[in-house]
Amino acid sequence: VASQGFVLSVKCFGGLSVMNTYYLKVAGKDECTAGVKAPDDITKLLDRRGYKPIPFLDNKRYKSTFLTEIAGRAVNLINWAMAFVRIKVNSILFIQYPYRISAAAWHGIRYLKKMKKTTIILLLHDVDSIRQYNINRNEKRERIFGLADYLICHNESMEDYLVGKGIQRERLYILGVFDYLCEKEPESNIVSEEELEKAVIIAGNLGKRKSPYIYKLLESEREYTVNLYGPNYEPNGFVKNAAYKGCFPPDELPDMLQGTFGLVWDGDETNTCVGATGNYLRYNNPHKVSLYLASGIPVIIWKKAALAQYIEDNGLGIAVESLTEINNIFGDITAQAYREMKYNVVKEGYRIRNGFYFDRVMDWIEKEIGL
């Protein structure tokens, strides 16, 4: 990488304080969704590493009409012009994709690299081309992948997809799993079969259009309770063995979750994960995996999901082909087996709550750069 040759100024006062390192500041709202939690956590971890924020004006309000769309484009140009002025020569800029990224980003990043010799670290939260979502728009935005000196993707499946799209493998770094910063310290004191509550948690967007499988699961014959957390729940009369627990901000949610397993599933059906959102599980790291583990809750995940091997290999839960298998899970699992699973989850949750995975990948990249 061409940027590896320059030297950044650093100061040490009881630790490493890196100069000339920046990040695009993305401000989230305190909402009942995980959409703001992941970028806000990355921001906190970048602050902890000494990166300086480059605030971007919010352009979302400028998208309803032709005139306001033009105003929104003007805001994007202003944002990149301000970034160009603030960022010093031979610096590092960390960008979270797709937040605040428009078509103007390609030009802004290109000029920063050319005129200010800026090294770009790009972290992918989502790759919408995999979901076949708004193809033309997202293909234009995803052009910036080719400008990144270091590209942080979720896992090996996403890495292979990006290589297939022409990204050099040597520029790709695997995150592993998203961190979920919180202060909750879960316990693992399960002592008997009687204490194994037959309850599964589903946290996230509960809308029928987003998660149709939920409503099919609720209508199915089950021997366990489904506890639901999140916005847009659309109940269709009384549902047996189901309880809507409410919608909570992401930082409060770990203290509210009640259940034996957290479910990671998506798509239209309960027998397998299909459709654009279901297929996406083959490539992405769902943030709810991090939520459950940070909360000390083992996971039930689709067997063909990208994170299924991580869950099984580390004893963090169970992978299933179909949701019909959950009844058997509760029928077969012993308190001892669940206790061991909880012990593994509590250990892994500690790392996730404290930013282990992001810090690890950034340590790799910064070492490669020469910081």
Side-chain angles (χ1 to χ4, degrees), residues 276-350:
T277 57
N279 185 65
Y280 194 46
L281 283 179
R282 298 176 185 267
Y283 299 95
N284 81 318
N285 291 354
H287 201 240
K288 66 180 64 181
V289 170
S290 306
L291 163 65
Y292 296 143
L293 296 180
S295 306
I297 299 169
V299 171
I300 294 175
I301 191 170
W302 183 40
K303 202 172 189 65
K304 295 180 181 177
L307 286 184
Q309 186 173 353
Y310 157 76
I311 294 296
E312 289 192 309
D313 287 353
N314 292 283
L316 305 173
I318 299 170
V320 298
E321 294 278 2
S322 168
L323 296 185
T324 59
E325 298 174 37
I326 296 179
N327 279 325
N328 293 333
I329 290 174
F330 284 112
D332 297 339
I333 195 168
T334 65
Q336 178 61 29
Y338 187 76
R339 186 183 300 113
E340 293 173 359
M341 201 178 295
K342 281 276 289 187
Y343 177 76
N344 296 332
V345 168
V346 169
K347 286 198 306 179
E348 182 69 353
Y350 175 83

Side-chain angles (χ1 to χ4, degrees), residues 353-366:
R353 292 193 306 275
N354 289 280
F356 169 83
Y357 284 97
F358 180 75
D359 281 340
R360 182 181 68 172
V361 74
M362 287 299 290
D363 286 346
W364 292 339
I365 291 172
E366 289 179 355

Side-chain angles (χ1 to χ4, degrees), residues 108-345:
I109 293 171
R110 191 163 62 93
Y111 280 114
L112 281 171
K113 289 174 65 69
K114 181 178 180 180
M115 305 297 292
K116 292 211 169 180
K117 305 297 187 290
T118 306
T119 296
I120 303 298
I121 304 174
L122 187 68
L123 182 143
L124 305 180
H125 285 275
D126 278 304
V127 181
D128 282 325
S129 62
I130 298 177
R131 291 189 280 198
Q132 299 295 300
Y133 171 71
N134 205 339
I135 296 297
N136 291 335
R137 174 173 174 265
N138 284 306
E139 283 185 348
K140 289 181 180 178
R141 290 205 301 173
E142 290 175 10
R143 287 191 304 164
I144 71 169
F145 295 178
L147 296 177
D149 299 285
Y150 302 91
L151 190 60
I152 303 173
C153 61
H154 294 194
N155 50 61
E156 291 180 355
S157 296
M158 185 175 284
E159 179 187 43
D160 290 340
Y161 173 85
L162 293 169
V163 169
K165 290 292 184 178
I167 305 298
Q168 297 95 329
R169 194 177 296 273
E170 57 269 21
R171 291 196 290 119
L172 292 164
Y173 287 75
I174 293 174
L175 178 64
V177 65
F178 278 100
D179 298 296
Y180 196 106
L181 304 186
C182 66
E183 297 180 357
K184 178 181 174 64
E185 295 184 6
E187 301 178 354
S188 57
N189 54 340
I190 301 296
V191 296
S192 68
E193 271 77 3
E194 288 74 17
E195 291 186 85
L196 280 172
E197 179 188 8
K198 294 183 177 181
V200 168
I201 299 164
I202 298 178
N205 187 337
L206 305 176
K208 289 183 178 180
R209 187 172 182 180
K210 168 64 174 65
S211 307
Y213 82 89
I214 293 175
Y215 299 88
K216 294 181 180 180
L217 176 64
L218 296 181
E219 294 172 358
S220 67
E221 290 294 327
R222 292 173 285 104
E223 298 175 4
Y224 57 91
T225 299
V226 176
N227 292 330
L228 300 158
Y229 299 81
N232 304 318
Y233 180 49
E234 305 172 59
N236 186 18
F238 174 76
V239 179
K240 184 180 178 181
N241 292 339
Y244 178 62
K245 298 292 188 177
C247 183
F248 305 93
D251 288 333
E252 299 177 14
L253 189 53
D255 289 319
M256 304 298 175
L257 298 181
Q258 298 176 343
T260 310
F261 291 96
L263 180 61
V264 180
W265 199 265
D266 220 330
D268 301 336
E269 305 296 337
T270 59
N271 62 329
T272 189
C273 290
V274 294
T277 57
N279 185 65
Y280 194 46
L281 283 179
R282 298 176 185 267
Y283 299 95
N284 81 318
N285 291 354
H287 201 240
K288 66 180 64 181
V289 170
S290 306
L291 163 65
Y292 296 143
L293 296 180
S295 306
I297 299 169
V299 171
I300 294 175
I301 191 170
W302 183 40
K303 202 172 189 65
K304 295 180 181 177
L307 286 184
Q309 186 173 353
Y310 157 76
I311 294 296
E312 289 192 309
D313 287 353
N314 292 283
L316 305 173
I318 299 170
V320 298
E321 294 278 2
S322 168
L323 296 185
T324 59
E325 298 174 37
I326 296 179
N327 279 325
N328 293 333
I329 290 174
F330 284 112
D332 297 339
I333 195 168
T334 65
Q336 178 61 29
Y338 187 76
R339 186 183 300 113
E340 293 173 359
M341 201 178 295
K342 281 276 289 187
Y343 177 76
N344 296 332
V345 168

